[in-house]
Amino acid sequence: MVTTDKPHYNVIGTRPVRPDGIDKVTGRALYGADISLPGTLHAHVKRSPHAHAIIKKIDTSKAEALPGVKAVVTGADLPTAEDGSRADNSTNVLAGKKALYRGHAIAAVAATSEHIARQAADLIEVEYEVLPPVLDVRDAMRDDAPIIHEALRTTSPKGPGEKPTNVAAHIQFNFGDAETAFASCDAVAEGQFSTKMVHQGYIEPHASAAMWNPDGQLTIWTSTQGSFPVRKDSSDVLGHPISKVKVIPTEIGGGFGGKIPLYLEPVAALLSRKTGRPVKLRMDRSDVFEGTGPTGGTSIKAKLGATKDGKLIAGYADMAYEGGAFPGSSVMLGALAMFAPYDIANVKIDGYDVVVNKPKNQDYRAPGAPAASFAIEQLVDELAEKLGIDPLKMRRMNSSHEGTRGPGGMPFRRIGNEECVEAALSSAHYNAPLEGANRGRGVASGFWFNVGLRSSVNVSIQPDGTVNLIEGNTDIGGTRASLAMQLAETLGIAYEDVKPMVVDTDSVGYNDVTAGSRTTYSTGMATHQAGLNLVAEMKKLLAPKWQVTAEEIEFQYGTFRAGEQSGSFKDVANQIVGPNGAGLTASGSVNAGIIVGGAFGLHIVDVEVDPDTGKTTILRYTAIQDAGTAIHPSYVEGQMQGGAVQGIGWALNEEYYFDETGRMANSSFLDYRMPTTLDVPMIDTIIVEVPNPTHPFGVRGVGEVPIVPPLAAIANAIYRATGVRQRQLPMSPRRILETTRGIE
Amino acid sequence: MAVVRIPALFQPLAGGATMVRASGATLLDVIDDLERQHPGFRDRLIENGAIRSEVIIAIGSDEAAGLAAPVGEEDEVHLLPAIAGGR
Amino acid sequence: MPGRTHVAARINGEQTDFLCEPWQSLLEVLRDELDLTGAKEGCNNGNCGGCNVILNGALVNSCCVLGVEVDGAEILTIEGVAQGDHLHPLQRSFLENAALQCGICTPGFIVAAKALLDSEPEADEARIRHWLAGNLCRCTGYDKIVRAVLDAADEMRRAPAAAT
Amino acid sequence: MQDFGYVAPTSLDDAVAVLAKHGESARVLAGGTDIIIQTREGRRSVEMLVDVKSIRETTELTLASDGSLRVGAAVPCARIYSDADIARRFPALIDSSALIGGIQIQSRASLGGNLCNSSPAADTIPTLIALGAVCEIAGPSGRRTIPVEEFCTAPGQNVLKPGELLVALNIPAPAPHSGAAFERFIPRNEMDIAVCNAAASVTLSDDGGTIKLARIAVGAVAPTPLFVKAAGDALAGKPASDSSIDAAAQAATDAARPITDMRGSAGQRKHLAGVLTRRVINTAIARAKGA
């Protein structure tokens, strides 16, 4: 660990066992599909076999006639606006007039068993008028492309466009004068890059249950990254008052952004309303691939220029990102993140949000940034090579730092980008020689925002002086532990004396999603605030007992003190809420804003490429990252290692492989090739700690940065091994044989 | 007088300018001054008495918590389109 | 079509009788009929290992076994790995090494690793990686999982009794 | 999952009777790692699954005193590669059976099942062809045998008639100074279907200088696994040199008539047929010399 200016902590920085650990190693923890309610009906969704088709007629009569079938719903069961339209997330949950991608939900059946529900779904007859699909982002931008949404017009700085189009938005960023700056560059690198649609690949398929009571109270059990957004979105889609919707989050088996939106919840709710019974809905793996939100493919033309001494002075990018079947690609984020690791005075970006006949784009870990990084980090490498500069020294020379204009023009506060580059330069890995034929070493930097948003927690003292922490962010990777540790630190008590609990939407104040690298950061702030509020309340109750004023009582490292009198947190807790005392609860709520600084990482990778087969083997991998303050270093390392390996999968083998009709040919874990234990080495980590000035403990979000650098780091390493630059993902053996030997 | 940096999205409103000087002690005052110079800004930035959800406004390095946020004479005010993830 | 079949098996050391349809997988039987939801469905076609159980001493994907096939069999699921309140060394090691994030793959990994260490207590990193290649984890990048299995193997070699 | 019945006969005669009764709608269940999944996903239409794991002849694994090996059609891969004697005598069989799926699959999946599933990319079939294995089939009209290379007829299809089942595979004893090897190419290092695979067996002259006989097979490059006789002929009677091996590899490449799909391109597969053939011949020769 590389650390700067870190205060002394007792709990923060230790590695305790997570509170929910026992349930998860014994099989007792209940995930989405494990929820079972008395009298439950089981449902199944019928999905479109066509990527683009008008739905002319849906005949559910045969399905309804099957014994055991209790209800069938279609998009017609969802409320519409006055003009008959529905919002995108409603139309995505159950199709309207058109099926917009293969796998688009068309109808759903509830029956006494899933077996019957599946048979009934097969009996639903749908009459389609099949339309030509548009599957490639640049094809979709052409004037003669099939139009997916007749009403769609391009929003742009010039105002809305006039013609129907698949380009939902044209965004622009412009700092300095890129055109003039390029003219004065001594070296320019440019290229056209593309990435394919990829899936988050969480191992738990989506699963939800719903119970709609006759009084209108709707309860939803679901595996989600955000129970409060599910409540809001379900309320919107169903046209049902938000106060009548309660969401109970189950344990969640991975999300990476993919479990933010609604898919099954309102469908289960409609079926429950029709039948008066609880209804459970779950996806199988092919449903997950075809019917949820992966992240869209991209096409990026990029250009980067430097002076002869290596100073980057001009950048340009034309970025087209797929939104899938609806507007909403990650192009804005990609554009904001692309140049963030560098201090470049002149940058121009054109970005396009483009609809295609593929599943609706969803966030996937640092959404938008990996594709942008794949382009820019290769160009940095090319310039370094052209100018004869070590690629890390090139980065050190150009690193963004405090005061550099960051994404969107705001100057960065204190960041740890330069420290990451320094840590890489002095790492054992970078200083070890790489020998042997067909081998190469690559590096790449990466940036991601810290998203703040809203969080709210309650804390209450128990009679034995322990503290319960009530929170609303589902724990996807150890946040019960990271929040409990921050509360223990705030209160000066042992980690074991804090009991964190994730509760439903009726039982705690509003919390935004567990996403955007925000939970340990933002909910951590709310937890810290709740701890301070609790101490203040304790002082008030203690003051009369000590015959002092509350202001005279000091609290530090778990001890209350006023003059000669002192007491530990537990002693005071016992006096206040002990046998004759009252209960005591405090809360903390924050709105930490949307963009709150950011975090950087740098990865180093050694590869070997088999020249006969084109297969790349990862020999050694080191991930370096500024975590601000690492609350629980093991889980920080875990995020870095997991992100790196997801990135390795994206770089080498993962892709949605579509046929010309828009059918995903590889919708299984057999052919959607995520890395296995045998595909990766141990992932070494170096945690850099440059405390975040906006957080009481200096926390930066750590979850997303580590998926940004791997794509370009591996591309740069493959270049060093083969002499051929890689412009397209995945860099599969097939692709490597094509680019290195012309075998197609 | 604070400097308001105008992103491409809003440049048409400001006659193509990339920055505009505007005065005011609070963010609301600054936006009002911006509106006087370039009508249309207020509606694009404010809704129901609060910063619109689709924009982020930062003063210096920090996101403004609300319209009452103080703005110093030397401050830079940044108008940013809010992060549009795929929701 | 034929009706439900009576099947008798020893599951986690207990004689267990159940009725199942011929088309129900062992995974469905465990989860839906016997309330043993520790085995998880990640893919339902033998490619993720989330549903791993030990069937007559052999590691299998319970999604690729029919319920009717296990008559007379001995089955160990994740629910049978701990002895009462005494965790198996693998379970402790997963906790101490932070070898889980979301935890959905954890039961499958622990069952698979137990099957390995029961027969090959000397397994090294290469052998562990080979053995666990049928178990997918998307959160950890496998580093801490492999370390957890190595640590548990070490502990079990030093104190074999702890593993029973 | 579609509705189907299940029966577990305890004799070959009973199995043949029930298979004959149900005709095309019956399928044999051995390890189930293909048929259960295909039935669940609607890729095979099945009304009756006939579990053959209670039948003696399909579950026996016998290394005869003459060195030949009889593998019951339902014997799981793990049982084959766990047998030290078999591993020593038939290393190519271990190459194949130790890389089908993960450990969890190998506990159940069988050579017989892999053959009857008749995938062009099956990982045990090229090895069985190279080793000269023969299928033992039982049916309503008695027993018959057929060389493995004649078993598959199209993707997912084979010579079994309604009522017939594969009982066992008989692999002849390896000749003196012989060796065999199998290799496949997959994008990951485990858990994938072969983009291309190849197997070779070679028998050397007593002094090891000349290749007396060779059998080469390649997979995933045609509708069925291919026995490439021309590749073996290119080696027979030649010294084990780069030029003879190149000629054999070229013969394998020439025989390949692959398609492009999500698992690989036609050009990639044709190229790999040559690469892998060269590699397995080299390994087979090394094993022959070591034996």
Side-chain angles (χ1 to χ4, degrees), chain A residues 47 90 116 202 227 278 331 357 374 379 385 421 496 530 560 574 577 610 688 696 710:
Chain A
R47 297 179 181 278
S90 172
I116 295 172
Y202 36 81
S227 47
V331 68
N357 290 113
F374 179 61
L379 297 182
E385 192 193 21
V421 178
E496 292 74 18
F560 290 87
N574 190 260
V577 298
D610 181 334
V688 172

Side-chain angles (χ1 to χ4, degrees), chain A residues 504-734:
Chain A
D504 64 70
T505 53
D506 280 0
S507 305
V508 68
Y510 185 86
N511 283 275
D512 271 306
V513 290
T514 301
S517 303
R518 65 171 290 278
T519 304
T520 298
Y521 174 82
S522 197
T523 310
M525 287 168 79
T527 301
H528 175 253
Q529 192 191 84
L532 296 182
N533 290 342
L534 183 71
V535 167
E537 290 301 314
M538 290 170 78
K539 285 180 183 173
K540 280 190 211 160
L541 294 170
L542 182 62
K545 294 181 195 289
W546 283 4
Q547 299 185 330
V548 294
T549 65
E551 291 71 31
E552 288 171 296
I553 304 176
E554 288 177 358
F555 179 78
Q556 205 181 12
Y557 297 125
T559 303
F560 290 87
R561 202 180 301 276
E564 296 293 300
Q565 303 183 86
S566 75
S568 72
F569 184 90
K570 276 197 179 182
D571 293 340
V572 172
N574 190 260
Q575 288 179 45
I576 294 170
V577 298
N580 302 314
L584 183 54
T585 298
S587 62
S589 296
V590 298
N591 182 346
I594 296 176
I595 297 180
V596 280
F600 293 83
L602 194 148
H603 291 192
I604 310 169
V605 59
D606 296 350
V607 304
E608 181 171 327
V609 180
D610 181 334
D612 288 335
T613 65
K615 183 162 164 171
T616 299
T617 300
I618 307 289
L619 302 171
R620 183 172 183 181
Y621 203 104
T622 302
I624 300 157
Q625 190 171 322
D626 173 21
T629 298
I631 299 292
H632 191 309
S634 294
Y635 286 101
V636 173
E637 292 159 5
Q639 290 292 330
M640 293 163 69
Q641 292 163 337
V645 170
Q646 271 186 323
I648 290 169
W650 193 345
L652 294 182
N653 282 307
E654 293 180 32
E655 64 175 310
Y656 272 51
Y657 191 96
F658 288 98
D659 68 16
E660 66 282 0
T661 69
R663 183 183 74 93
M664 182 191 184
N666 60 332
S667 60
S668 76
F669 277 154
L670 177 63
D671 288 311
Y672 185 88
R673 302 186 186 98
M674 309 200 310
T676 72
T677 45
L678 277 178
D679 300 318
V680 290
M682 292 293 188
I683 307 294
D684 295 331
T685 56
I686 299 173
I687 300 175
V688 172
E689 293 190 297
V690 177
N692 185 349
T694 66
H695 188 278
F697 297 120
V699 168
R700 294 183 199 274
V702 296
E704 292 172 286
V705 173
I707 202 172
V708 182
L711 313 184
I714 293 169
N716 290 337
I718 289 175
Y719 170 73
R720 305 277 163 177
T722 64
V724 178
R725 290 282 173 197
Q726 296 299 319
R727 300 306 198 205
Q728 291 182 30
L729 291 182
M731 298 175 284
S732 60
R734 176 175 175 175

Side-chain angles (χ1 to χ4, degrees), chain A residues 355-571:
Chain A
V355 293
V356 290
N357 290 113
K358 298 185 191 175
K360 185 180 187 321
N361 178 71
Q362 243 315 307
D363 293 345
Y364 174 21
R365 206 168 192 160
S373 167
F374 179 61
I376 192 75
E377 292 294 318
Q378 287 198 70
L379 297 182
V380 172
D381 200 62
E382 284 187 44
L383 285 177
E385 192 193 21
K386 279 186 185 181
L387 297 168
I389 301 172
D390 173 276
L392 280 183
K393 289 178 182 156
M394 180 90 179
R395 285 174 174 80
R396 179 166 65 182
M397 199 184 302
N398 291 288
S399 288
S400 55
H401 47 77
E402 186 171 2
T404 303
R405 290 200 182 282
M410 284 161 69
F412 279 118
R413 293 189 61 144
R414 184 80 171 90
I415 50 174
N417 190 18
E418 291 170 306
E419 286 80 356
C420 287
V421 178
E422 290 296 343
L425 274 164
S426 58
S427 67
H429 184 167
Y430 202 69
N431 289 290
L434 175 64
E435 286 157 0
N438 306 311
R439 294 184 169 192
R441 174 171 294 161
V443 300
S445 291
F447 162 81
W448 190 248
F449 310 87
N450 233 164
V451 173
L453 302 178
R454 291 161 289 179
S455 284
S456 189
V457 304
N458 294 332
V459 296
S460 55
I461 300 188
Q462 302 306 301
D464 59 359
T466 61
V467 179
N468 286 358
L469 167 60
I470 310 296
E471 44 144 338
N473 275 117
T474 46
D475 182 352
I476 206 160
T479 50
R480 284 183 181 92
S482 70
L483 296 175
M485 290 172 76
Q486 292 182 68
L487 184 59
E489 192 71 55
T490 308
L491 299 178
I493 59 178
Y495 164 77
E496 292 74 18
D497 287 341
V498 178
K499 192 204 280 181
M501 272 161 279
V502 178
V503 297
D504 64 70
T505 53
D506 280 0
S507 305
V508 68
Y510 185 86
N511 283 275
D512 271 306
V513 290
T514 301
S517 303
R518 65 171 290 278
T519 304
T520 298
Y521 174 82
S522 197
T523 310
M525 287 168 79
T527 301
H528 175 253
Q529 192 191 84
L532 296 182
N533 290 342
L534 183 71
V535 167
E537 290 301 314
M538 290 170 78
K539 285 180 183 173
K540 280 190 211 160
L541 294 170
L542 182 62
K545 294 181 195 289
W546 283 4
Q547 299 185 330
V548 294
T549 65
E551 291 71 31
E552 288 171 296
I553 304 176
E554 288 177 358
F555 179 78
Q556 205 181 12
Y557 297 125
T559 303
F560 290 87
R561 202 180 301 276
E564 296 293 300
Q565 303 183 86
S566 75
S568 72
F569 184 90
K570 276 197 179 182
D571 293 340

Side-chain angles (χ1 to χ4, degrees), chain A residues 18 21 25 31 33-34 115 199-200 205 253-254 282 285 364 476 634-635 637-638 641-642 646 654 675 677 680 683, chain C residues 23 31 38 40-42 47 78 87 91 95 98 100-104 129 132-133 138-144:
Chain A
R18 59 194 281 172
V25 298
Y31 292 82
D34 302 333
H115 191 69
H199 199 272
Q200 298 86 355
R282 60 192 196 96
R285 181 54 53 183
Y364 174 21
I476 206 160
S634 294
Y635 286 101
E637 292 159 5
Q641 292 163 337
Q646 271 186 323
E654 293 180 32
T677 45
V680 290
I683 307 294
Chain C
W23 62 81
R31 293 180 53 83
K40 305 300 183 191
E41 178 187 312
N47 288 293
I78 183 65
L87 291 182
Q91 292 172 313
L95 291 177
L100 58 147
Q101 285 175 33
C102 82
I104 194 85
R129 284 191 182 271
L132 295 178
R138 192 62 158 171
C139 296
T140 65
Y142 304 109
D143 183 300
K144 292 184 189 305

